[in-house]
Amino acid sequence: MATPTQAPHGAPDDDGEDRPGTRATAVRAAGAAVAALEQLVGGLGTALMALLVLGWAAVTAVTSLVGVGLLMAPLVLRALHSLAGRERDRLGRWGPEVMGPDPAPTALRLAVVDPTTRREVRWLARHATLGLLLGLGGLLLPLLALRDCLFPLYWRLLPEGATSTSLGIGVAETWADAAAAALLGLGWTAIILGLGPGMARLQGRPGRLLLAAGPDTDLSLRVAELTATRAAALDAHATELRRIERSLHDGTQNRLVTVTVLLGAARRMVARDPAGADELLERAQSAAEQALSELRSVARGILPPVLADRGLAGALTGLAASCPVPCRIDVEAPERCAASVEATAYFVVAEALTNIAKHSGARQAAVTVRSGGGRLRLDITDDGRGGAGGTSRAIGSGGEVGGSGLTGIRDRIAAHDGTFELASPPGGPTTLKVELPCGL
């Protein structure tokens, strides 16, 4: 008796349905294409700025012949170094981190012979040309694909003589012409799926080659910084686990033990003393409600659900509403960050507002949040007595090295390789500036 042959992996079954492997491959290809388009459009932003800086540098070079450009040279160099750093951050979000060299000089004489500046100028020229063209392709290709694929749905509404394709060739007079335009849209889609990831890699290659630290760059300081960051992240994680364990052991567990004892006593008394049993049950219910409240508090301390429900702006608004000190919240963060980064920002603001209320004597506080360029920036200010990090206890400090609140804020920020800046002169005001990479 003949045995049935098995269809190869990824081929259609007898009933015409695709195997799971084919669907998974299609999903992966679509996801890679979407990520590539995001990279290309993100690179388009830096490419446009690169074109502006390149033009500015050309004008400066020409006007330097008469001496005027020499005054603009330091500004051009600062813009170049800043844009190069922005591109390193962008590339780091889509792949391995691009470690930059030591800060490049902004003095013209030093910049002329500086290898880092020369590499950045070469990157600038490539990114302002090839990177710009690839970014425009990443922006236009999905628009062209959408326009042509949907053409059969709206071609009847176009004025007579309108072109039928995005290339401006041909006039749609029949349904066959409209279907041909739709086939062109499928061709654009195939180009996106097939060439999109390669275009993204080609756009980012000059930055990875020219903006990374050269072989002669000493990276020991950066390695030491990353080692310290990792150690801070592990310490912060261990501290958080100890806090959760202590909260569960000292609070919730004791409440639940009390509930168990009261329920056992009520069960034994229910026959001979119903009134006393009812009182014990009421006490057990109260203890159970307290345990549930403590469990919710612990859960919110791990990852506040309000972040997922209302976003960072809504979560911070809730913190300000519950703060005893009047607090103004100003959030403009159209660029969403990774959940862990938003959780860190939430806990930093929560810790800061708590300690402002406890120790600063402030009459008002303000929290400003901005996102852009792959960074999330927080500014927290109060008009209290100041001295944070010194003798006062504003924003969690307590003594010369700061208390546990300030240390916890620093550890959380260091875990994300962010920056922390505190200005708190005696008499105030106190300003806490935090910058975090958005991550993915």
Side-chain angles (χ1 to χ4, degrees), residues 367-380:
V367 177
T368 304
V369 181
R370 296 289 185 270
S371 70
R375 310 289 289 183
L376 183 67
R377 299 169 183 85
L378 308 175
D379 286 355
I380 306 170

Side-chain angles (χ1 to χ4, degrees), residues 33-51 83-94 123 127-128 130-140 142 196 199-201 203-204 335 372-374 440:
V34 171
L37 292 177
E38 292 181 4
Q39 294 180 54
L40 289 169
V41 173
L44 176 61
T46 55
L48 290 173
M49 289 186 285
L51 184 62
L83 183 59
R86 185 186 182 97
E87 180 69 5
R88 292 187 188 97
D89 292 339
R90 186 186 74 85
L91 294 175
R93 294 197 303 273
W94 295 105
W123 164 80
H127 196 56
L130 178 61
L132 180 63
L133 292 176
L134 291 171
L136 288 174
L139 178 65
L140 294 177
M199 293 170 61
R201 289 192 297 268
Q203 187 192 55
E335 180 179 344
L440 291 175

